[in-house]
Amino acid sequence: MTEWITLTALSIAAAGFFVGIVVGLTGMGGGALMTPALIFLGVGHTSAIVTADLTAAAIYKTGGAITHAREGSPNLRLAGWLIAGSVPMAFIGPYLVDALTDDPADLEKTLKLCIGIALLFAASTYALRLYINLGRVRSGAVMPDDNPPIRPVPTLLVGMLGGLLVGITSVGSGSVIMIALLMLYPGLSAVRLVGTDLVQAVPLVLSAAIANIAIHGLDWELLVPLVIGSVPGTLIGSRIAPRVPQSVIRRGIVIVLTMSGVALLFKAGLHPFGEGHETLEAVLVALIGVAMLLLVPLVWGVLRKRHGLPMFGAPTVSEIESLGAGRSGHRAPTTGDRDAGTS
């Protein structure tokens, strides 16, 4: 028993717990946060980390999907079309990467490169989602429609892209697919979007996990503490979510995703200053984080002004997300509603 209680296991459990809290607070996909966290902790090979993260996600996403299914929030027809595209590609993805090289060192670099790109993609899709919702909240042009006509071909393609991304990197289930659904089916309410995404995500991550386990095996010393930490963290995050300012957390996540993505690109062998300049690369990553911390609020304020809203104030980020996803027929909060919070 004591051989399981090690500093490494405690580090994995702690990382799982804190990432679980963030996932519970925001609903953002855990893979985009957990995978880079474990890579930077240095607790195992990247392939083992991706496999363990996918397996853990299959466990805790199942609980969320069951809850939403009982409440009747998922659009099952839409989820079915997504699953038809995502599950085969999630299974094929790991085999495609494995076919690229039989050198473990090259495999590590390839996976880190793919994950770095996926993290930058996830950060940009969240920003795009928020901007789309901003326009919809302001214009009120989209009427709610929780049972829209299914568009089979684009929905299948979205599933295929998301499945391939998740199968290779474990990133994308809750970010890339969500923004695509928002663009294809703008009338879906926020709860319908989340429920549909969770239902399709369970077979998606399970398929990706099975393929990765078949190729790389499953590191139980990674998986067990990861599940032990992430499950209670997610439950706690969900309980305290109503009392925590969402806008600050979500902006922080976008910054962390961007910094992690750039850092992983450097680890994959993309050295802008040449090899042997790790200190300069670390400084560049830090400067990117500082620049985003200072510039993102200003850029967001300018975009709000372009839509006829005050640079800061209501509607808040959380209000834009809840109203923008399928509730655009409602009045957008105005400057007279500023007591609702700050952006």
Side-chain angles (χ1 to χ4, degrees), residues 106-125:
D106 287 342
L107 178 62
E108 282 285 300
K109 288 184 177 181
T110 300
L111 286 175
K112 286 176 180 176
L113 178 64
C114 292
I115 295 170
I117 294 172
L119 290 176
L120 295 176
F121 193 26
S124 62
T125 55

Side-chain angles (χ1 to χ4, degrees), residues 243-330:
R243 298 185 291 274
V244 177
Q246 294 283 307
S247 60
V248 175
I249 295 174
R250 290 174 182 267
R251 287 175 183 173
I253 289 174
V254 172
I255 294 173
V256 170
L257 290 180
T258 303
M259 295 175 67
S260 299
V262 174
L264 281 175
L265 293 182
F266 293 160
K267 280 182 170 290
L270 299 181
H271 302 294
F273 307 110
E275 294 188 15
H277 292 86
E278 288 80 4
T279 302
L280 280 177
E281 292 172 357
V283 170
L284 178 59
V285 171
L287 289 175
I288 290 173
V290 172
M292 290 187 67
L293 186 64
L294 297 175
L295 294 178
V296 166
L298 294 177
V299 173
W300 180 241
V302 171
L303 292 176
R304 287 169 61 98
K305 289 283 286 183
R306 290 183 61 184
H307 283 84
L309 295 170
M311 287 191 68
F312 306 102
T316 66
V317 169
S318 58
E319 288 169 342
I320 287 170
E321 287 201 318
S322 63
L323 291 173
R327 298 185 181 272
S328 302
H330 292 241

Side-chain angles (χ1 to χ4, degrees), residues 39-336:
I39 291 175
F40 291 127
L41 277 176
V43 295
H45 295 295
T46 304
S47 57
I49 289 171
V50 169
T51 304
D53 184 39
L54 285 168
T55 308
I59 295 171
Y60 63 74
K61 282 180 181 288
T62 300
I66 291 173
T67 300
H68 277 270
R70 285 177 177 172
E71 295 175 354
S73 63
N75 185 314
L76 296 180
R77 288 185 63 243
L78 176 55
W81 281 102
L82 287 169
I83 290 168
S86 66
V87 169
M89 294 305 296
F91 191 82
I92 293 171
Y95 286 97
L96 292 177
V97 174
D98 187 59
L100 291 176
T101 178
D102 54 4
D103 185 347
D106 287 342
L107 178 62
E108 282 285 300
K109 288 184 177 181
T110 300
L111 286 175
K112 286 176 180 176
L113 178 64
C114 292
I115 295 170
I117 294 172
L119 290 176
L120 295 176
F121 193 26
S124 62
T125 55
Y126 173 70
L128 178 60
R129 186 175 79 184
L130 203 57
Y131 179 72
I132 291 172
N133 280 344
L134 175 65
R136 288 174 179 166
V137 166
R138 188 58 182 165
S139 66
V142 179
M143 296 301 294
D145 183 7
D146 279 340
N147 293 289
I150 303 300
R151 304 170 63 185
V153 173
T155 304
L156 275 172
L157 291 175
V158 167
M160 292 173 67
L161 173 61
L164 185 62
L165 197 60
V166 172
I168 295 173
T169 69
S170 81
V171 178
S173 173
S175 51
V176 176
I177 291 179
M178 187 75 82
I179 181 62
L181 289 180
L182 184 61
M183 298 175 72
L184 286 175
Y185 305 100
L188 282 177
S189 63
V191 67
R192 200 77 156 170
L193 273 171
V194 173
T196 303
D197 180 63
L198 272 174
V199 167
Q200 69 85 29
V202 173
L204 164 57
V205 296
L206 186 59
S207 174
I210 290 172
N212 276 282
I213 291 171
I215 296 170
H216 307 295
L218 182 59
D219 189 341
W220 290 95
E221 293 183 4
L222 258 174
L223 177 64
V224 172
L226 185 58
V227 172
I228 290 174
S230 61
V231 171
T234 303
L235 294 175
I236 292 172
S238 300
R239 293 290 298 273
I240 65 176
R243 298 185 291 274
V244 177
Q246 294 283 307
S247 60
V248 175
I249 295 174
R250 290 174 182 267
R251 287 175 183 173
I253 289 174
V254 172
I255 294 173
V256 170
L257 290 180
T258 303
M259 295 175 67
S260 299
V262 174
L264 281 175
L265 293 182
F266 293 160
K267 280 182 170 290
L270 299 181
H271 302 294
F273 307 110
E275 294 188 15
H277 292 86
E278 288 80 4
T279 302
L280 280 177
E281 292 172 357
V283 170
L284 178 59
V285 171
L287 289 175
I288 290 173
V290 172
M292 290 187 67
L293 186 64
L294 297 175
L295 294 178
V296 166
L298 294 177
V299 173
W300 180 241
V302 171
L303 292 176
R304 287 169 61 98
K305 289 283 286 183
R306 290 183 61 184
H307 283 84
L309 295 170
M311 287 191 68
F312 306 102
T316 66
V317 169
S318 58
E319 288 169 342
I320 287 170
E321 287 201 318
S322 63
L323 291 173
R327 298 185 181 272
S328 302
H330 292 241
R331 176 184 65 87
T334 63
T335 53

